[in-house]
Amino acid sequence: MTPEFQAYPHVPRVYPPGKPAGAGTQHVPVLIVGGGPVGLATALGLARHGVRSVLVEADDGVCTGSRAICISRRSLEIIERLGALDGFLAKGLPWAGGRSFYRDEEVLHFSMPQDAHQKLPPMVNLAQYHIEQFLLDAAERHAELIDIRWQTKVTAVEQRGSGAGLTLATPDETYNIDTDWLVAADGGRSAVREALGLKLQGTSYEGRYVIVDIHLKSSRPTERLAYFDPPSNPGSTVLVHKQPDDIWRIDYQLRDDEDAQAAVLIENVAPRVDSLLAMMGETAPWHPVWITIYKANALTLEKYRHGRVLFAGDAAHLVPIFGVRGANSGIDDADNLAWKLAHVVQGKSSAALLDSYCDERVFAAHENLRHGSKSTEFMAPPTFAFELMRTAVLGLAGKHPQVRSLINPRQTSAIAYARSPLNAADTDEFLAGPAPGSVLPECPLALLDHGTRTARHMTDLVNLGQGGFVGLYFSDDGAVPAELAAVPGVTMLAVARQPLQAAGLCAWDHTGQLFSLFGARHGSFYLVRPDGHVLGRWHEAAAAHVRQALATILTREAA
Ligand SMILES: O=C(O)CCc1cccc(O)c1
C-alpha cells in the first residue's frame, strides 16, 4: 500500500506583504535581497555593527520543504556571534561521523575532528525551516535595524555608480527604492544576477538524485550513512541522515534511463524506501513528507563584487550537496561580508575593502567546489573511468585501510585565506598556531574580567571585540604593554600563563595548552579580525606593527 503523506512538524508563520517606508522613492544604505539563511545572516551581521538594512523576500515566511540539513561547527561559531545559537543547539541533532557500506560490507567508519578542546559539535542536523526560523527570530529582536519586507519581489535593478535603484513588487503595489549597497542573497535563481546579466561558470553534473524526507520513529544514532550498491537498491548510491522530530533525509541516485517526473511519484519512491528501511532493519511505519529531484552543480560567478552590488550564497555559487558546503559556505560569505560592508557604510574603511570580500570568498568557493566536485564524482560517477575507479576503491577498502580516505565524504571545514591581500605576512617564525588568514583553533580557557572568572573558549574571545578587532597578547603574568593596549580600534586581551598582573580582560591559560597551540611565547601577539580569521601575528609586536596591519583595512580613501 502506498504510504500517506504527512506534513512537516513545523507550521511557519505567514507574513503579510511588506510596505514601503513612505511615499516616493526611499533611500536605504543597504538593501538585501533574499530572506534565506544567507540574507538573514548578513542582516544580523550588519545589525551587530549598528548598520540598518532593508531585507526583501519574495515568499511569505520561512521556506517550506527541507533543503539544507547539516550545519557545521564553523557556521555554529558564526551563528553564535549573530545571537542565534541557542535554537540550533536545542533543536539540532549533533553528530561527529558516519559509516559507508559497499554492498553489505562496512568499508569506512569516519569521524570529524572532535576533542575535549571543542565547545561546539562538528555538525548538527536540522531542517532549513528551523535554520531560517532561528535566524529570523534573532532578526526580529533587532527590528529597529532590520526592516524585513515579505512577499516582495525584485522586478528591475538599475546599477548606478553610487548604488542601485530597484523596482519592488508586492501583491498590493509596486514601488522604487534606492540603495547605496545591494546584497544579492536571493539563491540559485537570483533575480539580481539575472537582471545584471551575470552567468555562473563551472560544471553541471548529469547524475540525478531523488531527495526524500520521511517521518519515521527510530532510535538510531545521528550519523552520516552512505550505501554504495546496496542489496536494497542495487546499482544505486544512497545517503541517509537523521533530522529532528523523527524526520529522515534519504538521497538516492537514479539510473540514467529513469524518467525524472516518474521518479518523484510516491508509488515509485515508496518501494525504494521500503527496501532501504528493510535492509537497515527499520520496521516502524513511515510516511513521506517531501520529495524532490537534485542534480549537482559546481558553479560560481568569477567576481562577487560588481560595483555596488555584492553576491553571496547560492546567488554567487552553487556547490554540490555532498560534503555539505551549500548553506555553510553561504553563512561564511555573510560573515565575511557583513563586517566589511559595515566598515564601509560607517566610513571606517574605503569601498576597496569589499574587493577583499570578493578575493577571499571566490577563493573559498573554488576550494569548496574542488572538494564538492571530488565528493560528487565519488557519489555519482560522471564517466565510466570514475565508475571504474570507485568500484576498485570500494572493493579494496574492506581489507586495505590505505584506500579508505578516498571514500571519505570530505565534510566542510573552515577555509584559510592563505593568500588574502589583507593578511599581514609573517615576519617572525611561528612553529605552530594559525597563520594569517586562518581561523583560531578552539581551546578552553578561563576568562577573567576584573576579578570575575568564567569558563570560556578561544572562539568566545572573538565575540568580546563586539564586531571589531581583537588583540591577543601572550604574557607570562597577564600584563599587556601600555603602547599595545593603547592601539585604537582593538579590544586588547592578555592570554596569561599566570594572571598575576592581569588588569581588565585576561584569558588565563589554566590548562597550559594555549601557548603551544599558538606557537606563542611571552610577548607573542595575534591580531584577529571580526570574523575570527587571523590578520597578523608577531613574537615581539610593537604598536606600529598592529597599526600598519589595521591600516590595510581602516583606510578612508574613496575606491
Ligand atoms: O552527507 C552529505 O554529503 C550530504 C547531505 C545532504 C545535504 C543537503 C541536502 C541533502 O539532501 C543531503
Side-chain angles (χ1 to χ4, degrees):
M1 210 175 62
T2 312
E4 297 258 309
F5 270 87
Q6 261 185 16
Y8 280 112
H10 181 257
V11 184
R13 186 166 160 206
V14 176
Y15 290 84
K19 299 231 168 291
T25 301
Q26 200 198 338
H27 184 107
V28 295
V30 181
L31 181 76
I32 300 167
V33 183
V38 181
L40 287 164
T42 308
L44 282 165
L46 290 168
R48 191 160 175 256
H49 291 263
V51 172
R52 304 174 75 87
S53 62
V54 169
L55 182 154
V56 297
E57 165 56 45
D59 283 341
D60 58 9
V62 302
C63 71
T64 47
S66 170
R67 303 171 198 188
I69 48 165
C70 307
I71 291 294
S72 68
R73 174 183 283 143
R74 169 71 185 156
S75 294
L76 293 173
E77 268 172 42
I78 295 169
I79 286 163
E80 179 170 28
R81 278 190 254 125
L82 300 178
L85 182 66
D86 291 354
F88 284 77
L89 294 186
K91 190 74 191 174
L93 301 181
W95 58 283
R99 290 180 293 140
S100 298
F101 299 84
Y102 179 45
R103 300 190 173 141
D104 49 11
E105 184 188 12
E106 184 176 309
V107 289
L108 174 76
H109 193 168
F110 77 94
S111 307
M112 291 178 282
Q114 174 68 331
D115 56 40
H117 285 177
Q118 303 302 325
K119 175 172 91 163
L120 296 164
M123 204 75 81
V124 295
N125 278 1
L126 76 176
Q128 184 160 330
Y129 49 75
H130 285 131
I131 299 170
E132 292 183 9
Q133 188 65 58
F134 298 137
L135 292 170
L136 176 59
D137 292 345
E140 287 182 335
R141 293 195 286 272
H142 290 287
E144 74 296 352
L145 290 170
I146 306 175
D147 172 359
I148 305 181
R149 300 188 190 171
W150 300 98
Q151 300 194 45
T152 303
K153 290 195 168 113
V154 173
T155 58
V157 183
E158 188 197 328
Q159 256 189 301
R160 303 185 189 133
S162 58
L166 283 89
T167 307
L168 303 178
T170 75
D172 303 331
E173 61 197 314
T174 296
Y175 62 95
N176 295 323
I177 190 163
D178 288 348
T179 183
D180 296 335
W181 294 98
L182 175 62
V183 178
D186 51 344
R189 296 199 186 94
S190 168
V192 178
R193 197 180 66 221
E194 180 80 1
L196 267 54
L198 300 170
K199 295 264 176 293
L200 298 168
Q201 311 285 334
T203 308
S204 289
Y205 292 92
E206 288 303 317
R208 295 156 308 160
Y209 267 75
V210 170
I211 302 186
V212 198
D213 277 354
I214 63 166
H215 184 272
L216 169 80
K217 282 200 182 298
S218 163
S219 57
R220 269 174 185 274
T222 310
E223 59 180 343
R224 180 191 196 262
L225 293 171
Y227 298 98
F228 297 96
D229 194 15
S232 63
N233 303 53
S236 183
T237 301
V238 186
L239 266 183
V240 181
H241 276 279
K242 184 178 194 174
Q243 302 178 60
D245 304 323
D246 300 317
I247 301 291
W248 290 77
R249 166 69 49 90
I250 298 169
D251 302 68
Y252 62 81
Q253 193 188 4
L254 285 183
R255 289 190 317 271
D256 291 349
D257 62 345
E258 282 181 275
D259 176 65
Q261 276 180 346
V264 292
L265 298 175
I266 185 60
E267 55 269 34
N268 295 324
V269 171
R272 294 202 187 186
V273 174
D274 277 335
S275 58
L276 173 75
L277 296 180
M279 181 189 79
M280 293 171 67
E282 296 294 342
T283 49
W286 66 274
H287 293 273
V289 180
W290 184 68
I291 305 176
T292 190
I293 200 150
Y294 171 77
K295 260 174 111 162
N297 286 303
L299 304 169
T300 180
L301 289 175
E302 277 163 19
K303 290 194 305 161
Y304 298 166
R305 179 182 176 203
H306 291 259
R308 296 279 180 137
V309 185
L310 300 147
F311 288 87
D314 284 2
H317 44 73
L318 287 176
V319 189
I321 54 174
F322 310 112
V324 303
R325 291 180 174 77
N328 289 305
S329 65
I331 290 169
D332 239 322
D333 288 347
D335 189 44
N336 190 300
L337 177 57
W339 71 268
K340 293 176 180 172
L341 185 53
H343 270 68
V344 173
V345 170
Q346 291 174 329
K348 295 179 187 163
S349 303
S350 79
L353 179 60
L354 293 165
D355 290 333
S356 75
Y357 164 69
C358 177
D359 293 330
E360 292 179 348
R361 293 310 301 163
V362 170
F363 168 77
H366 284 292
E367 286 292 285
N368 284 324
L369 293 176
R370 194 162 60 80
H371 291 294
S373 297
K374 287 214 165 111
S375 300
T376 306
E377 284 153 5
F378 202 83
M379 296 302 293
T383 62
F384 178 67
F386 279 108
E387 175 94 53
L388 206 61
M389 194 274 288
R390 183 176 90 161
T391 309
V393 168
L394 289 169
L396 288 168
K399 293 206 177 55
H400 300 276
Q402 324 74 285
V403 303
R404 286 187 197 146
S405 63
L406 295 166
I407 310 174
N408 195 303
R410 303 165 161 264
Q411 302 295 62
T412 181
S413 58
I415 286 179
Y417 307 136
R419 289 195 294 273
S420 169
L422 301 185
N423 292 348
D426 272 346
T427 45
D428 297 342
E429 192 188 8
F430 276 76
L431 298 177
S438 309
V439 295
L440 299 180
E442 192 58 295
C443 191
L445 49 83
L447 185 68
L448 306 177
D449 187 358
H450 300 92
T452 316
R453 175 180 169 173
T454 41
R456 288 278 184 271
H457 281 77
M458 195 29 105
T459 51
D460 295 327
L461 301 185
V462 180
N463 300 356
L464 296 176
Q466 312 233 328
F469 293 84
V470 171
L472 304 176
Y473 181 79
F474 286 79
S475 141
D476 284 342
D477 58 7
V480 179
E483 65 145 3
L484 275 182
V487 176
V490 181
T491 301
M492 210 57 84
L493 277 119
V495 179
R497 287 193 209 274
Q498 288 300 332
L500 303 171
Q501 301 294 325
L505 282 172
C506 175
W508 177 20
D509 184 11
H510 67 307
T511 64
Q513 300 173 93
L514 284 175
F515 277 69
S516 55
L517 200 59
F518 280 76
R521 55 190 192 223
H522 176 80
S524 300
F525 182 78
Y526 277 78
L527 183 57
V528 184
R529 308 178 350 174
D531 54 11
H533 287 259
V534 172
L535 184 61
R537 58 180 181 169
W538 302 265
H539 279 312
E540 276 154 41
H545 293 127
V546 183
R547 285 212 185 85
Q548 201 182 346
L550 290 172
T552 321
I553 291 169
L554 305 175
T555 50
R556 296 199 176 88
E557 309 95 61

